[in-house]
Amino acid sequence: MNKHLLKMADLTKDDIFEIFETAEKLKNYNKNKIEHPILKNKILGMIFVKSSTRTRVSFEVGMHQLGGKGLFLSQNDLQLGRGEPIYDTAKVLSRYLDGVMIRTYAQQDVEDFAKYGDIPVINGLTDYAHPCQVLADLMTVKEYKLKEYKSFDNLKLCFIGDGFNMANSLIVGGLTVGMSISVANPKGYEIEQSIKDYGAKFNSRFIFTNNVKEAAKDADILVTDVWYSMGQEDISERKEAFKDYKIDNELMKFAKKDAIVLHCLPAHRDEEISSEVFKQHENVIFDEAENRLHAQKAVMVKLMG
Ligand code: CP
Ligand code: NVA
């Protein structure tokens, strides 16, 4: 496995399956209250330039359960927030820490930290990617769908919404494990050309459209994300552009009868997902949130162990 997890393209299919195997073992340890101090005395720095509930808590709790410590570092409290360069920050933090998780805006910032530092870097969300979320999503799909369907190859995942971090990472991750992926973004909010080109290499396994019904047709898994992400200010324009890009009972009719619904959370009910659909699928959605903990612990064991 690569030294860092900066985006889904850093992982091969084998890497992802190894992460699942470790994550499932760790999940079982938690269930059976078996201690597992695999990262005893290791310290993960957690730099947050944006807000977080799940990422912050699951990384901090995960490090604690692995016998180490997660150190919360808000950008406001770091000299980074006052203009200290990433180069210097990466050099210095590499002298203290065993790994770092970064949540920020620009993908280039996590790439630069990885380049200049000597410790593993985990992307905890950028505008471009959310690999930790997508590992948890794929793990949840495996739990719910692979008993019956045996392999990811027989599954179709449909993403409805913004061509942003979640769409990018689901496309790359989903195609890597073997699923078919369909994506519906509104005009003006489409995934960037490089992601479209990446998908096109998978021929009929990748569909890009502006039509939600076409994307949802026969899907086994439907996924959506908020209409306006952290840092996006044009909320009223977005509400108008995205009004037909939602998962509701009407859209569910186009998917398979036993389709599951995923949402990375936080969710805005009756915007990207109707209250009814959320309620009906909340068990899967909260299992998905729980799987953040197990999948990330597996990543930390691989990168910092
Ligand atoms: N899904 C997710 O990353 O949630 P947070 O923003 O709460 O970390
Ligand atoms: N697309 C959302 C995901 C939040 C987990 C955002 O970037 O705000």
Side-chain angles (χ1 to χ4, degrees):
M1 195 164 143
N2 222 306
K3 184 179 170 190
H4 308 285
L5 176 58
L6 306 179
K7 51 191 176 300
M8 284 311 285
D10 291 341
L11 299 172
T12 63
K13 184 174 180 178
D14 286 348
D15 290 334
I16 296 174
F17 276 83
E18 268 180 42
I19 290 168
F20 290 156
E21 201 183 314
T22 306
E24 282 157 13
K25 210 182 284 173
L26 295 167
K27 188 169 182 172
N28 212 35
Y29 287 159
N30 277 12
K31 197 170 143 212
N32 295 302
K33 302 200 170 5
I34 298 169
E35 292 200 3
H36 46 280
I38 306 168
L39 297 182
K40 192 160 187 280
N41 296 333
K42 301 250 173 165
I43 316 268
L44 176 82
M46 310 187 306
I47 299 177
F48 282 92
V49 179
K50 290 176 175 169
S51 310
S52 169
T53 298
R54 281 143 288 271
T55 306
R56 180 189 170 171
V57 177
S58 57
F59 267 106
E60 193 162 333
V61 167
M63 275 309 284
H64 179 79
Q65 292 177 354
L66 290 165
K69 185 178 165 62
L71 197 62
F72 175 69
L73 303 166
S74 154
Q75 138 136 317
N76 302 333
D77 305 328
L78 293 172
Q79 296 288 8
L80 194 62
R82 297 180 57 245
E84 185 169 17
I86 289 181
Y87 180 90
D88 297 0
T89 309
K91 292 281 179 206
V92 172
L93 292 186
S94 294
R95 306 281 180 111
Y96 306 140
L97 300 169
D98 301 290
V100 67
M101 184 242 83
I102 306 174
R103 166 169 287 200
T104 188
Y105 292 91
Q107 179 69 16
Q108 194 57 49
D109 289 351
V110 295
E111 304 272 349
D112 285 348
F113 199 110
K115 184 162 124 202
Y116 302 135
D118 300 315
I119 51 176
V121 178
I122 301 170
N123 180 344
L125 179 144
T126 59
D127 290 351
Y128 178 71
H130 199 0
C132 294
Q133 180 67 51
V134 166
L135 286 171
D137 294 1
L138 296 176
M139 181 175 169
T140 310
V141 170
K142 184 170 180 284
E143 287 175 349
Y144 276 86
K145 287 288 179 195
L146 260 63
K147 276 189 202 88
E148 187 186 349
Y149 290 91
K150 308 292 178 222
S151 154
F152 281 104
D153 298 7
N154 307 314
L155 294 170
K156 175 179 173 180
L157 181 144
C158 160
F159 178 86
I160 303 285
D162 197 7
F164 202 56
N165 44 20
M166 280 305 301
N168 294 342
S169 292
L170 278 166
I171 291 165
V172 177
L175 290 170
T176 302
V177 295
M179 283 193 283
S180 295
I181 305 287
S182 58
V183 174
N185 306 142
K187 286 214 169 77
Y189 301 91
E190 295 181 0
I191 46 170
E192 57 188 62
Q193 191 57 43
S194 66
I195 298 282
K196 287 184 187 169
D197 293 344
Y198 178 90
K201 290 190 211 142
F202 294 81
N203 305 316
S204 62
R205 274 177 57 207
F206 180 69
I207 296 168
F208 177 80
T209 173
N210 300 120
N211 184 322
V212 291
K213 291 173 187 163
E214 185 192 339
K217 193 172 178 302
D218 297 326
D220 300 281
I221 304 119
L222 288 148
V223 193
T224 187
D225 186 15
V226 288
W227 289 347
Y228 35 94
S229 287
M230 289 182 277
Q232 293 169 343
E233 308 290 342
D234 50 338
I235 295 177
S236 54
E237 279 161 51
R238 282 177 167 266
K239 280 190 174 173
E240 182 55 31
F242 281 84
K243 63 182 186 322
D244 298 324
Y245 290 77
K246 56 162 166 282
I247 304 181
D248 56 11
N249 280 328
E250 188 50 36
L251 191 71
M252 290 301 293
K253 288 184 194 152
F254 292 86
K256 290 219 185 115
K257 273 203 173 59
D258 61 351
I260 60 169
V261 175
L262 298 178
H263 194 307
C264 63
L265 302 175
H268 292 171
R269 286 173 179 76
D270 299 321
E271 288 189 358
E272 77 277 2
I273 187 164
S274 70
S275 299
E276 295 81 14
V277 170
F278 189 95
K279 189 75 203 159
Q280 213 175 332
H281 293 270
E282 69 172 24
N283 286 345
V284 185
I285 292 169
F286 293 133
D287 279 349
E288 175 191 5
E290 180 191 328
N291 283 337
R292 291 291 304 275
L293 174 68
H294 311 301
Q296 287 160 199
K297 283 169 72 184
V299 169
M300 292 191 286
V301 166
K302 298 266 169 222
L303 300 184
M304 295 163 65

